[in-house]
Amino acid sequence: MRLDKFFSEMKILSRSECRDEIKKKTITVNGEPAKSSDMKIDETNDVVALKGQVVKYSPYVYILLNKPEGYVSATEDKSEKTVLDLLPENLTKFGLFPCGRLDKDTLGLVILTNDGVSAHNALSPKRHVEKKYLFTAADEYGDDDKTAIESGITLADGYTTKPCKIERIDAHSGYITLTEGKYHEIKRLFGARKNKIVYLERISFGKIGLGNLERGEWRFMTDEEKTAFTGKNGTN
Ligand code: URA
């Protein structure tokens, strides 16, 4: 396949952007700077890299981001910075969207993809994909609060939350693992117990963890992570 097609099919670079990157010598094939956008590559065996990051051939793009505070989980917003603002320009304009929402003040793992089916499946409560968060509450929470939240609470809007799991760290903090993602769910669960979440960070999504991704950093998913997320082997 042509090198420019390799990038354009995956919606990473348009053909003209591919030519520009080649001029800047930011694309390598098997460690050598690519010479022309029409050069033929073996998309499954050649190692193609863009700005030092190996790009695997895949019809879809899967990205992990460690969200800082102050960004909204949306593709665009009139007044706020969005998680897409943390990606390089060449990745932002090709239909990526966050898989689920973290609040503006919530930190941690966000998955960005253009694979709507896998994103939908990962978020479906029927699939029971576990999302784990580190939290701190303003006031101490007791074992009665823990048990009530874990069993499910009927919130002010009448919705009863699905059972979840809390692992205590200390009187104020712990890990909470949910298999659904209702609006402000963790904040509302603690709110229903007259407490307030003051720190919230998603540390894993299913089998995919934050690892050593620094705050504000992103990277492409590994093959194992893609398999874990899509449920398909060899989506490439
Ligand atoms: N629950 C919340 O309250 N906020 C989040 O960002 C995620 C889960």
Side-chain angles (χ1 to χ4, degrees):
M1 140 188 284
R2 281 170 59 124
L3 184 60
D4 52 3
K5 185 158 187 277
F6 172 91
F7 282 109
S8 67
E9 260 203 359
M10 290 187 284
K11 304 181 186 342
I12 294 173
L13 296 175
S14 66
R15 291 187 176 214
S16 68
E17 286 169 335
C18 181
R19 279 197 297 278
D20 291 346
E21 295 298 336
I22 287 171
K23 274 191 214 135
K24 289 190 244 161
K25 299 200 185 329
T26 51
I27 297 177
T28 56
V29 178
N30 299 323
E32 296 294 320
K35 288 195 177 62
S36 70
S37 58
D38 64 358
M39 77 179 272
K40 291 280 187 306
I41 56 153
D42 173 348
E43 65 274 12
T44 44
N45 293 315
D46 286 337
V47 180
V48 180
L50 171 62
K51 296 179 182 160
Q53 287 227 36
V54 173
V55 182
K56 290 282 174 63
Y57 183 63
S58 161
Y60 292 120
V61 182
Y62 304 93
I63 282 172
L64 302 181
L65 169 75
N66 187 342
K67 178 182 145 353
E69 207 176 340
Y71 289 80
V72 296
S73 298
T75 50
E76 53 186 17
D77 193 281
K78 283 200 187 79
S79 52
E80 307 283 358
K81 293 175 288 186
T82 78
V83 285
L84 286 178
D85 292 327
L86 293 159
L87 301 182
E89 177 109 16
N90 52 27
L91 282 174
T92 59
K93 46 186 159 171
F94 294 110
L96 292 173
F97 58 86
C99 175
R101 281 166 191 266
L102 290 185
D103 298 336
K104 188 177 161 188
D105 58 354
T106 301
L107 318 170
L109 185 61
V110 173
I111 293 174
L112 292 137
T113 185
N114 52 2
D115 176 355
V117 172
S118 296
H120 174 81
N121 290 341
L123 295 171
S124 165
K126 288 189 202 128
R127 304 269 172 148
H128 302 289
V129 177
E130 294 189 336
K131 290 106 193 167
K132 187 169 181 176
Y133 299 80
L134 173 63
F135 70 86
T136 305
D139 299 320
E140 294 186 2
Y141 66 102
D143 286 341
D144 52 339
D145 298 312
K146 180 175 178 300
T147 306
I149 291 172
E150 285 181 326
S151 328
I153 286 186
T154 302
L155 301 171
D157 62 4
Y159 177 76
T160 303
T161 58
K162 298 250 174 334
C164 64
K165 192 172 69 192
I166 294 179
E167 297 155 76
R168 185 182 284 285
I169 297 174
D170 59 29
H172 290 262
S173 63
Y175 296 103
I176 180 165
T177 304
L178 307 182
T179 55
E180 60 178 352
K182 298 291 170 197
Y183 179 68
H184 289 339
E185 182 159 351
I186 298 170
K187 290 173 183 162
R188 289 198 290 158
L189 282 166
F190 279 80
R193 302 295 298 180
K194 308 273 180 287
N195 205 335
K196 189 175 184 312
I197 290 290
V198 291
Y199 180 89
L200 194 57
E201 175 183 9
R202 183 153 66 192
I203 57 166
S204 65
F205 191 122
K207 291 187 184 140
I208 302 171
L210 257 185
N212 50 17
L213 206 55
E214 298 286 332
R215 200 78 73 212
E217 269 186 10
W218 68 276
R219 65 168 173 81
F220 292 111
M221 278 190 198
T222 62
D223 286 347
E224 290 79 45
E225 288 164 341
K226 278 196 252 179
T227 301
F229 180 68
T230 62
K232 285 180 239 153
N233 230 325
T235 47
N236 304 335

